[in-house]
Amino acid sequence: MILAAGKGTRMHSGKPKVLHALAGRPILQHVLDTARKLNPSKIIVIYGFGGDAVPQALPADDITWVQQAEQLGTGHAMQQALPHLEADARTLILLGDVPLLAVESCQSLLAEQAALALLTVHKHDPAGYGRIVREQASVQAIVEHKDATEAQRAIQEVNTGIMAADNAWLAQWLAQLDNRNAQQEYYLTDIVALAVADGQAVAATQSDDEWQVTGINSKQDLATLERVYQQRYAARLLAQGVTLADPARIDVRGTLTAGRDVEIDVGCVFEGEVTLADNVRIGSYCVIRNASIGTGTVLAAYTHIDDASLAEACKIGPYARLRPGTNLADHTHVGNFVELKNAQVDSGSKINHLSYIGDATVGKDVNIGAGTITCNYDGVNKSRTVIEDKAFIGSDTQLVAPVTVKAGATIAAGTTVTQDAPAEQLTMSRVRQFTIENWKRPEKVKK
């Protein structure tokens, strides 16, 4: 059960709090990922603020969505979900705004034999949190901060809101909740006192990791947990043997898989699914999304890659952009201010300077000069350019698709190619150079 109905007033946003992004994904998505790793028989998400925005943003066949039309407290939220609970099952209750919770903590909580088990944490500054009230080490109740006495507010063991309960007891306790408190809400935490009154022991597992149970209530909280997430991801990469120039300056917004002897310079961003093979070197401030980078490939600074695959020993950048559908074979070179889109480039080919190659098939050992453009769009349709093996494309060439440059052809600099260029021949379309005598530049007219 994931409670995700809150507005998040302190976020100062019209968007539901749980849809704000942490590491490139909605906060709630992180909680769902944790829940799925537990192999539950059912996942129930209680949503409220924002109407259907939350289920629409995270559609999934394995989620039962339950709406809490009025936000009357966490206990009220759970009451809305009662019809979906199986009487002989056990429910783990998670919070949609606590994204760093570890699977191991959930497993420990579920392993408790008590009818009700809580996950708690020790906070040096517990203000705002529900206090865990014990008598002779046994949990007796959770008292919310606004309802706590001065003595109770001195308690530093606090409720995280994460708990597990047997459904038969849970249904009974939820039916007994009332809203006679400072907030006039139905507190889920009141079930602790009800469990004690029924003679049921309440187990409490204390987490030694405060960050994993920290909720997000403001943009400051979001920024803080973003850094915690990134620092922990960087630590895992370092432990795997990845060399990071500065672990504080890397952002992984998805999954990064790295081989041996990978080096990553500062300021790099990895989004989606990214795989770096052995001996890959990533220069500073690269942005890589949904890409596979082959063994020994080097990306110079400020290279952008999106939905592309690169084979072994490629040299890319600086300031190169590889857009979706680009596939590079081994030993290809793509240099500064070169953009490729939906282009397949075979081994040994070079596109080193200031070119746009879109919707193109480039063969082996092709050299494409500076300023070359494949004119792939006629305003309505896109067409393909084919450049066969060992062709040489001179600088400032326009290849007007659909067109084919045959194997071994040479295209003279400054040529506009509108027809297929024959193999092993020189093709050019220049106007013969001439000079206009006695011509003078215009002079500025004084007003």
Side-chain angles (χ1 to χ4, degrees):
M1 184 81 67
I2 301 174
L3 305 181
K7 179 179 179 179
T9 303
R10 282 179 281 166
M11 298 296 282
H12 298 290
S13 172
K15 182 165 60 175
K17 175 171 64 172
V18 295
L19 293 185
H20 288 266
L22 177 95
R25 293 179 294 159
I27 296 168
L28 179 56
Q29 184 65 66
H30 292 270
V31 184
L32 287 168
D33 290 345
T34 298
R36 289 184 175 114
K37 291 175 183 176
L38 296 167
N39 297 316
S41 60
K42 184 183 294 185
I43 297 176
I44 301 171
V45 178
I46 302 172
Y47 69 99
F49 175 75
D52 292 331
V54 175
Q56 288 174 358
L58 297 168
D61 294 337
D62 63 341
I63 298 176
T64 299
W65 297 97
V66 175
Q67 185 174 21
Q68 183 188 19
E70 296 181 273
Q71 276 73 68
L72 301 178
T74 52
H76 176 261
M78 287 294 298
Q79 289 170 347
Q80 311 312 298
L82 267 177
H84 301 278
L85 298 184
E86 299 169 7
D88 59 348
R90 187 168 175 83
T91 294
L92 176 68
I93 301 169
L94 305 179
L95 304 181
D97 61 0
V98 179
L100 301 188
L101 182 64
V103 172
E104 293 77 12
S105 295
C106 297
Q107 292 169 333
S108 296
L109 202 57
L110 288 167
E112 294 285 355
Q113 298 299 310
L116 179 62
L118 312 175
L119 185 63
T120 69
V121 69
H122 183 276
K123 290 185 73 71
H124 292 291
D125 180 10
Y129 288 83
R131 307 306 202 276
I132 303 297
V133 178
R134 295 177 181 264
E135 287 184 10
Q136 297 180 344
S138 297
V139 177
Q140 299 299 307
I142 299 176
V143 180
E144 296 299 325
H145 181 85
K146 291 185 178 181
D147 301 306
T149 64
E150 286 302 315
Q152 289 169 337
R153 288 186 179 186
I155 298 170
Q156 292 183 312
E157 184 184 11
V158 302
N159 175 43
T160 66
I162 298 160
M163 59 182 72
D166 291 338
N167 287 354
W169 282 108
L170 182 61
Q172 182 175 317
W173 297 328
L174 289 174
Q176 299 177 57
L177 295 179
D178 61 57
N179 64 347
R180 295 193 299 270
N181 52 60
Q183 295 280 81
Q184 293 187 319
E185 292 184 351
Y186 296 89
Y187 293 151
L188 178 60
T189 50
D190 286 349
I191 69 173
V192 175
L194 293 172
V196 172
D198 285 333
Q200 294 297 314
V202 178
T205 299
Q206 187 165 334
S207 171
D208 57 1
D209 178 3
E210 185 175 335
W211 291 120
Q212 74 153 328
V213 294
T214 298
I216 294 174
N217 295 301
S218 66
K219 294 292 178 63
Q220 180 62 57
D221 293 341
L222 183 61
T224 299
L225 283 195
E226 177 75 31
R227 284 301 96 208
V228 172
Y229 179 95
Q230 298 301 342
Q231 288 166 6
R232 294 185 173 189
Y233 209 112
R236 291 198 296 271
L237 292 172
L238 290 167
Q240 295 165 14
V242 177
T243 298
L244 302 178
D246 185 351
R249 288 190 285 171
I250 180 175
D251 286 84
V252 180
R253 300 167 186 169
T255 302
L256 175 59
T257 303
R260 294 172 62 87
D261 297 311
V262 169
E263 299 177 12
I264 301 174
D265 209 334
V266 300
C268 294
V269 178
F270 300 90
E271 300 180 347
E273 300 290 328
V274 177
T275 301
L276 308 179
D278 295 348
N279 298 296
V280 167
R281 298 206 311 272
I282 308 294
S284 57
Y285 300 102
C286 291
V287 179
I288 304 173
R289 178 187 299 112
N290 295 325
S292 174
I293 313 296
T295 301
T297 288
V298 177
L299 306 187
Y302 296 97
T303 292
H304 284 209
I305 297 178
D306 185 1
D307 279 302
S309 64
L310 287 67
E312 298 181 5
C314 297
K315 293 183 179 180
I316 313 297
Y319 298 100
R321 184 184 182 197
L322 309 186
R323 292 170 57 195
T326 296
N327 298 294
L328 305 184
D330 57 282
H331 294 89
T332 53
H333 293 189
V334 176
N336 48 286
F337 302 104
V338 172
E339 179 181 354
L340 276 66
K341 189 271 294 182
N342 192 23
Q344 290 75 55
V345 182
D346 213 335
S347 59
S349 292
K350 299 178 181 180
I351 314 167
N352 278 328
H353 317 283
L354 302 153
S355 296
Y356 171 71
I357 307 298
D359 296 298
T361 301
V362 180
K364 293 182 175 66
D365 299 317
V366 171
N367 189 92
I368 296 179
T372 296
I373 298 172
T374 58
C375 306
N376 57 328
Y377 185 53
D378 63 7
V380 179
N381 300 304
K382 291 189 176 182
S383 300
R384 198 157 192 85
T385 298
V386 177
I387 304 172
E388 295 183 352
D389 296 350
K390 297 185 177 180
F392 181 94
I393 311 298
S395 299
D396 196 27
T397 293
Q398 298 87 48
L399 301 163
V400 183
V403 70
T404 298
V405 177
K406 299 290 186 178
T410 297
I411 308 299
T415 294
T416 299
V417 179
T418 58
Q419 300 176 17
D420 291 356
E424 305 294 342
Q425 301 295 316
L426 172 64
T427 296
M428 63 191 308
S429 66
R430 296 182 193 149
V431 174
R432 185 182 295 273
Q433 182 173 318
F434 61 94
T435 300
I436 300 175
E437 297 181 359
N438 301 319
W439 178 86
K440 293 183 179 179
R441 291 181 183 176
E443 297 180 359
K444 187 173 182 179
V445 178
K446 295 182 179 181
K447 295 183 180 180

